[in-house]
């Protein structure tokens, strides 16, 4: 699940037709490169295809635009607690974005799943989960799959 918080310059895609906060809010890079584009497609396809009982909103911060990333995260921090989603899924673009995600949790105690960027030890106090690649594990898994496919 990925969630994004809206800033005035951020693009928003939503399955949430009501004015209430989404259940899941993704904050991720925009669709200008294949990997984030695939992520957006997966998020929205899953939300529509499974006719889930939860709403999803995706807010992007451009093509790894630091100023937009900070604006989106600060907007999330400034959003009143009663208007927060149930879960955030955040792809932080840098260490300062990770710190802002921590501030978001400290301010509102909303669960945060970190996407793509492997958490550092200091982040474990505010993250409830991690979804993304870990190169060594990914390479090992690929090797095992190749081994099995030729046995």
């Amino acid at each position: 699940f990925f969630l994004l918080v809206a800033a005035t310059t951020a693009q928003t895609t939503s399955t949430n037709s009501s004015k209430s906060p989404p259940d899941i809010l993704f904050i991720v890079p925009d669709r200008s490169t294949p990997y984030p584009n695939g992520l957006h497609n997966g998020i929205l396809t899953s939300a529509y295809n499974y006719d889930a009982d939860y709403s999803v909103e995706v807010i992007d911060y451009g093509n790894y635009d630091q100023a937009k990333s900070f604006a989106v995260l600060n907007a999330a921090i400034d959003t009143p607690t009663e208007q927060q989603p149930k879960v955030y899924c955040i792809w932080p673009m840098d260490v300062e974005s990770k710190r802002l995600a921590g501030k978001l949790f400290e301010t509102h105690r909303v669960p945060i799943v970190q996407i793509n960027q492997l958490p550092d030890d200091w982040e474990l106090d505010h993250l409830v989960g991690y979804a993304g690649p870990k190169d060594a594990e990914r390479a090992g898994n690929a090797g095992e799959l190749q081994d099995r496919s030729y046995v």
Side-chain angles (χ1 to χ4, degrees), residues 39-110:
L39 175 64
H40 282 243
N41 290 341
I43 293 165
L44 298 174
T45 300
S46 295
Y48 284 112
N49 284 347
Y50 295 110
D51 195 25
D53 290 334
Y54 56 84
S55 58
V56 173
E57 185 172 342
V58 176
I59 300 173
D60 73 65
Y61 54 77
N63 188 9
Y64 301 95
D65 183 314
Q66 189 179 53
K68 284 184 182 180
S69 172
F70 291 178
V72 168
L73 289 166
N74 280 310
I77 292 166
D78 293 341
T79 299
T81 299
E82 64 275 5
Q83 295 176 12
Q84 292 289 326
K86 292 180 182 172
V87 177
Y88 279 97
C89 295
I90 301 174
W91 177 331
M93 67 169 288
D94 56 17
V95 172
E96 187 55 35
S97 295
K98 290 180 174 191
R99 288 196 173 99
L100 288 172
K103 184 176 178 182
L104 172 62
F105 177 79
E106 290 170 8
T107 304
H108 300 289
R109 298 291 183 202
V110 177

